[in-house]
């Protein structure tokens, strides 16, 4: 039987190339709606790049209902050369403006702006918002953090245009008698489900407008607003499930009552008023000593703590206060996270009082942010070991080998204790030796 001749590599490649050229483009034969849906998973730039494939693809990206203008990756160069900030801002604004002029989508699932923008882009961002609302946007995100990371200085933040909602005053200005004039885009606001404002000046009146006039709003996030003074989230008709108010330094009061909110995150715990929130199961609070935080989320006669499944506390200090605080039974608590500034050999045994009050606790995390780390030679204090049958995870960030850290671990169940000991000793053992703790 004659041997089959072997094809050279070049010949084989040419043959495969001819087959590829003659193969049918089955993807392009799909209906427009399906192709646009596929493109919606790409970034704006990637979707636009598909227009070079063929005439069939040329107009499709213009109908994509997700406009994600995330360009934070470019900000690394700006961080090194601050003089480039204005140049990059102008380039970014031109890109968004050009894209919106070509966009033909009638509805928007997402409109996201993520770049280092400030008051210098006020006029352009105002126009972007008008465009997004005119397309009945569902998820609106203005993420204008300086360098993509830090909160903008308050004097330079972009200000949300209250007049766009028919509120006839600017942020910080007195209200007129005709505050509730019907805005030109009234019916287009009703589709909003998610609102995110970072480094954006926004007032409580603007946020309450969305809460009470947009029946589908489930998530609201505000970071770094210098004009947010008072906010009331009140009423069983509200659909809001998640509220996040963080680093709004001018906030005087945050009232949340008679609503079905599920998760809450705020750095203004001492200005928080909670009442009749039966669906609330996750609270993330911070910014002040533990005493103020706990007195806020556990007022007299309140059962808020007893219904929580997740509790996260970020405090500047006062961790030792937990040792003297009488906690109620945290019957449903499954996750407890503490982030605190750590000084010298500060005791962390106060955490065990929370742990001991939570028989269903599965996960405990302690994050120590060091100010002045130091070790002491004092003896370990004895504490009652917590009989936790469900605890599976113990995380300790910022471990420094202090006596107080060893004290904490000694009250944990044996299995957790062994895992922590392994973590503590692993770095001291040469890599060719296997560490086994029995």
């Amino acid at each position: 039987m004659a041997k089959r001749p072997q094809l050279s590599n070049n010949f084989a490649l040419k043959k495969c190339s001819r087959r590829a050229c003659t193969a049918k483009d089955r993807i392009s034969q799909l209906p427009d709606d399906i192709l646009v849906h596929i493109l919606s998973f790409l970034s704006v730039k990637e979707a636009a790049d598909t227009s070079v494939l063929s005439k069939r693809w040329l107009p499709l990206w213009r109908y994509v209902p997700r406009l994600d203008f995330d360009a934070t990756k470019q900000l690394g160069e700006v961080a090194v050369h601050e003089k480039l900030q204005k140049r990059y801002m102008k380039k970014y604004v031109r890109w968004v403006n050009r894209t919106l002029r070509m966009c033909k989508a009638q509805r928007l699932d997402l409109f996201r702006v993520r770049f280092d923008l400030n008051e210098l882009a006020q006029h352009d961002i105002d126009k972007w918002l008008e465009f997004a609302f005119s397309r009945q946007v569902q998820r609106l995100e203005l993420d204008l953090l300086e360098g993509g990371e830090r909160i903008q200085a308050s004097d330079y933040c972009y200000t949300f245009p209250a007049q766009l909602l028919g509120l006839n005053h600017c942020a910080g200005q007195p209200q007129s008698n005709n505050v509730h004039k019907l805005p030109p885009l009234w019916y287009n606001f009703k589709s909003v489900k998610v609102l995110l404002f970072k480094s954006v000046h926004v007032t409580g009146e603007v946020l309450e407008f969305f809460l009470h006039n947009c029946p589908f709003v489930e998530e609201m996030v505000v970071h770094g607003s210098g004009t947010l003074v008072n906010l009331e989230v009140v009423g069983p008709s509200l659909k809001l499930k998640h509220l996040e108010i963080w680093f709004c330094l001018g906030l005087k009061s945050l009232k949340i009552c008679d609503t079905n909110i599920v998760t809450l995150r705020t750095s203004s715990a001492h200005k928080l008023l909670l009442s009749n929130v039966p669906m609330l199961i996750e609270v993330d609070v911070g910014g002040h000593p533990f005493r103020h935080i706990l007195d806020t989320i556990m007022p007299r006669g309140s059962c808020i703590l007893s219904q929580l499944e997740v509790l996260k506390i970020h405090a500047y200090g006062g961790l030792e206060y937990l040792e003297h605080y009488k906690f109620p039974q945290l019957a449903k608590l499954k996750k407890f996270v503490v982030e605190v500034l750590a000084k010298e050999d500060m005791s962390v045994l106060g955490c065990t009082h929370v742990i001991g009050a939570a028989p269903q606790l599965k996960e405990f995390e302690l994050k120590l942010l060091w100010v002045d780390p130091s070790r002491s030679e004092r003896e370990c204090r004895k504490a009652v070991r917590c009989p936790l049958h469900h605890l599976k995870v113990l995380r300790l960030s910022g471990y420094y080998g202090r006596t107080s850290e060893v004290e904490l671990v000694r009250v944990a169940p044996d299995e957790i204790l062994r895992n922590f000991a392994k973590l503590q000793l692993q770095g001291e053992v040469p890599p060719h030796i296997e560490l086994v703790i029995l």
Side-chain angles (χ1 to χ4, degrees):
M1 183 175 179
K3 292 184 178 180
R4 186 176 182 179
Q6 298 293 321
L7 298 177
S8 67
N9 288 338
N10 289 336
F11 181 81
L13 289 173
K14 289 179 180 179
K15 187 174 181 179
C16 291
S17 177
R18 286 196 299 270
R19 287 180 178 175
C21 292
T22 58
K24 291 183 178 180
D25 181 4
R26 297 188 181 277
I27 294 181
S28 295
Q29 295 176 3
L30 294 172
D32 286 356
D33 291 346
I34 295 180
L35 292 177
V36 170
H37 179 70
I38 294 173
L39 292 179
S40 68
F41 291 96
L42 304 177
S43 67
V44 173
K45 185 179 184 306
E46 291 170 340
D49 288 344
T50 63
S51 62
V52 303
L53 295 177
S54 68
K55 292 182 179 180
R56 172 76 172 84
W57 289 81
L58 184 61
L60 293 178
W61 73 272
R62 301 183 182 185
Y63 295 89
V64 171
R66 294 174 56 87
L67 296 180
D68 187 353
F69 297 101
D70 184 355
T72 50
K73 291 183 179 179
Q74 302 177 5
L75 294 177
E77 189 175 351
V78 178
V80 179
H81 306 286
E82 294 183 2
K83 294 182 179 180
L84 296 176
Q85 197 270 344
K86 288 186 178 180
R87 183 192 305 175
Y88 273 68
M89 181 188 297
K90 291 180 180 179
K91 184 178 179 181
Y92 180 89
V93 169
R94 286 196 301 268
W95 172 47
V96 177
N97 285 337
R98 183 173 62 253
T99 303
L100 297 188
R101 284 195 297 268
M102 292 186 286
C103 178
K104 294 185 178 181
Q106 297 302 308
R107 295 175 180 269
L108 290 178
D109 298 333
L110 169 70
F111 184 84
R112 176 184 290 135
V113 174
R114 295 191 67 189
F115 200 68
D116 187 347
L117 301 176
N118 53 39
E119 61 177 359
L120 297 178
Q122 180 78 41
H123 176 73
D124 291 286
I125 301 177
D126 287 354
K127 294 297 182 182
W128 300 348
L129 288 176
E130 290 182 20
F131 177 90
F133 286 125
S134 70
R135 266 64 175 183
Q136 301 179 27
V137 64
Q138 294 187 26
R139 186 180 186 99
L140 175 66
E141 298 186 16
L142 292 184
D143 190 349
L144 312 182
L145 297 180
E146 182 181 356
E149 298 178 354
R150 302 182 301 275
I151 297 292
Q152 295 273 6
S154 182
D155 294 341
Y156 299 99
C157 281
Y158 164 79
T159 299
F160 186 93
Q163 63 274 14
L164 185 63
L165 309 179
L167 307 175
N168 298 337
H169 70 286
C170 298
Q173 299 297 322
Q175 301 180 18
S176 67
N177 295 328
N178 194 25
V179 168
H180 299 292
K181 180 181 177 182
L182 197 66
L185 298 175
W186 173 261
Y187 294 102
N188 300 79
F189 295 117
K190 295 184 179 297
S191 58
V192 176
K193 295 181 179 179
V194 177
L195 287 168
L196 181 145
F197 300 121
K198 293 187 177 182
S199 290
V200 174
H201 283 327
V202 62
T203 65
E205 185 184 7
V206 167
L207 298 179
E208 290 171 19
F209 172 92
F210 284 113
L211 289 175
H212 293 284
N213 294 283
C214 304
F216 303 110
V217 172
E218 294 186 350
E219 182 177 344
M220 181 177 287
V221 176
V222 181
H223 284 202
S225 172
T227 56
L228 182 58
V229 179
N230 299 296
L231 177 61
E232 292 190 1
V233 182
V234 179
S237 63
L238 300 184
K239 300 298 183 182
L240 191 69
K241 302 301 181 185
H242 173 76
L243 177 65
E244 188 169 326
I245 307 295
W246 205 258
F247 288 127
C248 296
L249 302 183
L251 187 68
K252 292 183 178 179
S253 69
L254 174 59
K255 182 179 179 181
I256 306 174
C257 300
D258 305 323
T259 184
N260 293 317
I261 189 171
V262 177
T263 60
L264 169 67
R265 185 170 189 254
T266 178
S267 59
S268 302
H270 66 299
K271 300 167 184 177
L272 175 64
L273 173 62
L274 285 173
S275 176
N276 190 23
V277 282
M279 304 301 292
L280 185 63
I281 61 172
E282 179 174 339
V283 169
D284 187 343
V285 294
H288 296 276
F290 276 91
R291 179 174 60 83
H292 293 155
I293 293 175
L294 294 172
D295 288 345
T296 297
I297 62 177
M298 196 183 74
R300 292 180 180 178
S302 172
C303 60
I304 292 175
L305 277 179
S306 63
Q307 71 189 45
L308 293 183
E309 296 181 11
V310 178
L311 175 60
K312 301 179 182 180
I313 300 178
H314 312 260
Y316 293 139
L319 185 60
E320 64 279 359
Y321 180 75
L322 291 179
E323 294 189 52
H324 311 289
Y325 202 92
K326 186 177 181 180
F327 283 90
Q329 187 77 0
L330 306 176
K332 297 183 179 180
L333 195 66
K334 296 180 176 63
K335 183 176 182 179
F336 179 48
V337 178
V338 176
E339 181 178 273
V340 64
L341 293 181
K343 298 180 180 180
E344 300 176 347
D345 200 10
M346 172 190 67
S347 174
V348 295
L349 282 179
C351 295
T352 63
H353 288 252
V354 182
I355 298 174
Q360 300 297 320
L361 194 67
K362 294 181 179 180
E363 185 174 347
F364 170 59
E365 182 173 358
L366 177 62
K367 300 178 181 179
L368 301 174
L369 307 178
W370 287 104
V371 176
D372 182 22
S374 63
R375 298 184 179 92
S376 66
E377 300 298 327
R378 67 177 177 84
E379 295 184 0
C380 287
R381 293 168 51 194
K382 294 183 178 180
V384 178
R385 181 167 293 186
C386 303
L388 296 176
H389 303 291
H390 300 280
L391 188 63
K392 301 297 182 183
V393 179
L394 172 62
R395 294 190 182 95
L396 178 58
S397 302
Y399 173 75
Y400 196 70
R402 305 176 312 157
T403 302
S404 56
E405 292 156 351
V406 178
E407 288 174 342
L408 175 64
V409 178
R410 283 188 174 181
V411 302
D414 292 337
E415 181 181 355
I416 300 295
L417 182 60
R418 287 196 300 270
N419 291 336
F420 185 80
K422 184 176 182 180
L423 175 66
Q424 182 178 9
L425 299 174
Q426 194 118 40
E428 307 297 329
V429 178
H432 62 279
I433 296 179
E434 180 182 4
L435 175 63
V436 178
I437 298 178
L438 302 177

